[in-house]
Amino acid sequence: MGRPEKGPGSIGRLPRRLGAICIDWGLSMLLSWWLFDLNDWATLVLFGLGQIIGVGITGHTIGHRVFRMQVQSMDGTAVKPLQGLIRAVLLCLFIPVLIADKDQRGLHDRLAKSILVNIR
């Protein structure tokens, strides 16, 4: 894919991805507990909204930021809001995340034409 093996611009690997999603899910659960008595659907909606807003506007969620990663378009530019929306909806379905290619891009990234990269 023309990306460096390590450092800025390299593909975000599984351990960091898992850490980031755990932070984002945990924050969604905390908000759901506080606002909706930890309702499962509320947690999923809050998680999805966090992904749509975070990725679609800034290119990263809180979890991505903690692990120094950013979602970018395949050409290295910022994702567009529609790409963020597509990626978030597919991420909430969970199954696309399990279908990954040799570059560790899940189906949610492939269909959104995005890639999760390290920024440091």
Side-chain angles (χ1 to χ4, degrees):
M1 294 188 73
R3 298 279 177 170
E5 279 295 313
K6 294 181 181 176
S10 63
I11 296 172
R13 300 293 178 197
L14 189 61
R16 295 174 86 182
R17 288 173 176 259
L18 287 175
I21 204 164
C22 286
I23 288 172
D24 294 336
W25 189 259
L27 290 171
S28 299
M29 286 181 68
L30 187 62
L31 275 174
S32 176
W33 171 71
W34 181 51
L35 298 172
F36 303 105
D37 197 30
L38 202 59
N39 180 284
D40 293 338
W41 287 106
T43 303
L44 183 62
V45 168
L46 289 167
F47 176 79
L49 287 173
Q51 293 291 317
I52 291 167
I53 293 167
V55 172
I57 294 173
T58 66
H60 43 70
T61 63
I62 293 171
H64 292 147
R65 195 71 160 153
V66 167
F67 283 91
R68 299 182 192 129
M69 296 185 297
Q70 183 180 35
V71 179
Q72 299 177 350
S73 293
M74 291 303 296
D75 61 4
T77 61
V79 293
K80 294 173 180 54
L82 181 59
Q83 286 176 288
L85 175 66
I86 292 167
R87 187 180 188 279
V89 169
L90 292 170
L91 185 61
C92 287
L93 293 175
F94 187 68
I95 293 172
V97 178
L98 299 174
I99 302 169
D101 62 14
K102 63 182 165 99
D103 296 311
Q104 295 188 4
R105 288 178 58 228
L107 187 58
H108 63 297
D109 274 325
R110 292 194 332 240
L111 291 176
K113 295 182 175 72
S114 63
I115 188 168
L116 185 60
V117 298
N118 297 310
I119 54 176
R120 285 192 204 160

